[in-house]
Amino acid sequence: MNWFINFLGSSIGQKVIMSLTGLFLITFLAVHLTGNLQLLVNDQGEQFNIYAKFMTTNPLIKATSYLLYASILLHAVQGIVLWRKNRSARGGQGYARKVTKAVGTNSFAASNMAWLGIIIFVFLGLHLYQFWLQMKLGKVPMAEYNGEQVKNLYVLVAEAYSNPIYVAVYVFSMIVIGYHLLHGFQSAFQTLGLTHKKYTPLIKGIGWMYSIIVPLLFAIIPILMYFNIYPLSSFLH
Amino acid sequence: MKITLKVWRQGGKYKGEFVEYKLDNVKEEMSFLEMMDVLNESLVQKKEQPVAFEHDCREGICGTCSMVIDGQPHGPQKATTTCQLHMRSFKDGDTIYVEPFRAKAFPVIRDLVVDRSAFDRIIQSGGYISVNTGQAQDANAIPVEKDVASMAFDAAACIGCGACVAACPNASAMLFVSAKVSHLAMLPQGKVEAKKRAQAMVKTMDMEGFGRCSNVTACEAECPKEISVNNIARLNREYLGSVFASEKIV
Ligand code: SF4
Ligand code: FES
């Protein structure tokens, strides 16, 4: 087992942890987005609330959610460890002038992953406090659908995004996530050694699209809610 | 050309600071190092301590001429070592910052000279072939596909200059190590010890205090030999394959 512990501590091992947890979080984003899009259904939150109940009570999804919390923490902690290690490897004396170019990736994103990550982590704190913690501990108004009592998470969300400051914070955070993904998506594959003349352009292309489309769709939701626009119709009834 | 230089001086009477020098008679066809020679001659005449910098071949093959010129290792011209950089890349009246390669694993010895022996120790830990590979004709008897030979040769073009480390925001040596591991792993003679090599060289690289690669790719952008970051992916593959699929523990 020693060899495995050594691997986890090696430079490549540490990066592999970032890569695997990162890829898991990337897939999670897509799942989260399908949930959120239901906020735009014009049924005062019925479909969204029923979906939220399913997501918080289904045992399989609950189990996956613990894996998710663990991944988020591991990704964040390992990221900080790497960041500190890399800063110290740079040495105390910085360059008076420094040009950082990049090949095939966004150089701003690539060289600021830690800062982008820290902003995302802070946003996540707020986000979990606002919704997740309230669902777990706080007083959430109830709604009744077909005689069944369901926590009305929709009201919580709608209230939050009637505040333009929250909307702005949310949209800003999505831009930050977009940049983080812009480098992170393809970087995860490179770290695992998954490069290929034929497939890497495809991976990079999907990465670019993913990092633009997913945060964009996320960001649109609170904006539309702010303006009371609900363009989707329910498929419940 | 008139050029103002801001040169990092460290050692002797200098604590570690930029010192400004003005040169009035720089010729466009001078190489950057020739301009530094002119500066040093004038300093010697004034009985001042000349600027220490490394150089050897002055034809872009030895990799000793390490300096960061205006924020870029080996200066602004792509795929060019400092010795091959000419003053026509600059404009009359320019102010140019000249700094040593900076990284914890490359401590400054004096002025622009840094200690890059960490690279030597990485090579010593596995960047060689120790099995008997026979004579030259034996090598010719082993078929190697041209494309593979070319890729191995591209990786072997690394001159071990350290610009990748100097350019990397993380001071990572992955491009250098990956070039060495790749060029040997792609050829039949090097494949024999590839598993052990990947683990051993990464281990030494980590011990020498280089940072962790986060795929910024600044190394490839600044490498005078245009070593591709595809080699880093190959090193990752070699390393992961060696750790998980071989019985080697290094
Ligand atoms: S990979 Fe390029 S920059 Fe790094 S040591 Fe080799 S030649 Fe120099
Ligand atoms: S002096 Fe040899 S490469 Fe520049």
Side-chain angles (χ1 to χ4, degrees):
Chain A
M1 256 342 251
N2 252 348
W3 65 269
F4 189 67
I5 310 266
N6 286 344
F7 163 72
L8 292 180
S10 74
S11 55
I12 296 179
Q14 289 180 324
K15 288 298 304 170
V16 165
I17 293 174
M18 291 307 279
S19 162
L20 292 178
T21 49
L23 285 173
F24 181 57
L25 296 178
I26 285 172
T27 42
F28 158 72
L29 275 185
V31 177
H32 192 342
L33 179 62
T34 54
N36 283 19
L37 284 172
Q38 298 175 63
L39 283 163
L40 296 182
V41 171
N42 57 358
D43 63 355
Q44 273 84 48
E46 181 177 351
Q47 187 179 324
F48 177 75
N49 284 336
I50 291 173
Y51 174 79
K53 174 156 189 210
F54 167 73
M55 290 305 273
T56 44
T57 48
N58 182 301
L60 207 67
I61 290 170
K62 262 185 137 170
T64 318
S65 73
Y66 290 114
L67 192 65
L68 175 69
Y69 306 144
S71 292
I72 292 172
L73 282 179
L74 196 56
H75 195 80
V77 171
Q78 184 71 276
I80 297 285
V81 168
L82 282 167
W83 184 47
R84 291 186 46 143
K85 170 79 204 166
N86 286 342
R87 281 174 69 109
S88 97
R90 265 276 100 247
Q93 180 69 47
Y95 289 109
R97 274 193 190 168
K98 185 75 186 91
V99 178
T100 302
K101 291 188 185 159
V103 184
T105 185
N106 181 297
S107 71
F108 168 77
S111 38
N112 289 294
M113 286 302 270
W115 288 114
L116 297 169
I118 288 169
I119 297 174
I120 295 168
F121 196 73
V122 171
F123 163 74
L124 203 63
L126 172 76
H127 193 64
L128 287 177
Y129 171 77
Q130 262 187 321
F131 304 123
W132 177 84
L133 199 70
Q134 301 310 318
M135 275 294 268
K136 292 253 161 183
L137 307 172
K139 277 210 205 84
V140 182
M142 301 301 276
E144 201 185 298
Y145 305 117
N146 300 329
E148 201 190 343
Q149 292 282 316
V150 174
K151 284 186 182 168
N152 198 341
L153 179 59
Y154 166 82
V155 170
L156 225 62
V157 179
E159 241 168 51
Y161 296 129
S162 62
N163 183 338
I165 295 174
Y166 282 143
V167 176
V169 167
Y170 193 92
V171 171
F172 171 72
S173 305
M174 289 310 117
I175 295 172
V176 173
I177 288 182
Y179 269 105
H180 199 74
L181 287 175
L182 207 52
H183 178 65
F185 194 102
Q186 46 122 339
S187 177
F189 289 88
Q190 165 86 359
T191 296
L192 295 176
L194 298 177
T195 54
H196 192 281
K197 242 205 182 103
K198 291 177 185 163
Y199 305 118
T200 298
L202 189 70
I203 291 173
K204 287 199 174 180
I206 294 174
W208 270 86
M209 285 190 332
Y210 196 94
S211 13
I212 294 168
I213 293 173
V214 170
L216 191 72
L217 286 176
F218 267 114
I220 275 176
I221 296 166
I223 297 176
L224 290 181
M225 287 178 84
Y226 179 77
F227 290 110
N228 273 315
I229 303 170
Y230 293 89
L232 306 178
S233 51
S234 171
F235 52 73
L236 281 182
H237 302 295
Chain B
M1 298 166 82
K2 282 193 190 358
I3 295 287
T4 306
L5 290 176
K6 297 215 185 245
V7 183
W8 182 263
R9 307 289 321 252
Q10 184 172 341
K13 67 172 181 172
Y14 301 103
K15 290 255 156 353
E17 63 207 273
F18 283 100
V19 178
E20 190 177 292
Y21 300 104
K22 285 194 189 307
L23 296 177
D24 292 336
N25 206 6
V26 176
K27 305 265 183 310
E28 286 197 336
E29 56 274 14
M30 279 180 179
S31 77
F32 200 86
L33 294 187
E34 282 163 351
M35 179 203 58
M36 295 299 287
D37 292 338
V38 170
L39 166 66
N40 275 348
E41 266 166 36
S42 75
L43 289 176
V44 170
Q45 269 164 18
K46 282 188 267 177
K47 298 218 173 338
E48 276 185 49
Q49 192 184 317
V51 178
F53 65 89
E54 277 193 283
H55 60 100
D56 187 11
C57 69
R58 297 210 177 193
E59 52 186 23
I61 54 174
C62 74
T64 44
C65 50
S66 56
M67 21 181 118
V68 171
I69 300 163
D70 268 348
Q72 286 180 270
H74 295 297
Q77 196 171 316
K78 201 170 142 45
T80 308
T81 53
T82 301
C83 57
Q84 296 284 292
L85 177 69
H86 287 83
M87 294 313 293
R88 54 180 160 268
S89 299
F90 299 91
K91 289 196 304 289
D92 188 27
D94 271 0
T95 299
I96 306 170
Y97 277 78
V98 190
E99 302 176 67
F101 282 4
R102 296 195 192 281
K104 204 164 144 202
F106 287 170
V108 174
I109 298 173
R110 181 182 279 264
D111 300 337
L112 305 173
V113 180
V114 298
D115 177 1
R116 283 171 289 179
S117 56
F119 270 15
D120 300 338
R121 289 187 289 276
I122 293 175
I123 294 291
Q124 280 158 16
S125 68
Y128 51 79
I129 294 170
S130 63
V131 294
N132 188 355
T133 56
Q135 302 296 319
Q137 65 266 34
D138 299 319
N140 288 330
I142 309 170
V144 180
E145 193 193 357
K146 175 71 177 80
D147 291 350
V148 176
S150 300
M151 276 201 292
F153 186 81
D154 285 347
C158 165
I159 53 177
C161 65
C164 41
V165 176
C168 176
N170 311 323
S172 166
M174 280 291 269
L175 195 64
F176 166 73
V177 176
S178 74
K180 300 302 169 195
V181 162
S182 291
H183 111 244
L184 293 174
M186 280 188 281
L187 295 175
Q189 294 88 343
K191 250 187 203 132
V192 183
E193 292 159 299
K195 296 275 179 292
K196 198 165 135 203
R197 179 181 306 118
Q199 285 196 51
M201 290 180 79
V202 168
K203 189 176 176 187
T204 313
M205 171 183 82
D206 289 354
M207 274 179 346
E208 292 293 341
F210 292 103
R212 274 63 171 135
C213 173
S214 59
N215 305 320
V216 177
T217 67
C219 51
E220 180 179 329
E222 300 300 348
C223 172
K225 298 297 153 187
E226 300 188 290
I227 302 292
S228 158
V229 291
N230 282 334
N231 291 299
I232 296 183
R234 185 179 295 101
L235 169 60
N236 292 338
R237 277 201 297 278
E238 289 282 333
Y239 181 79
L240 293 173
S242 171
V243 168
F244 287 99
S246 84
E247 297 199 340
K248 291 266 179 311
I249 298 178
V250 179

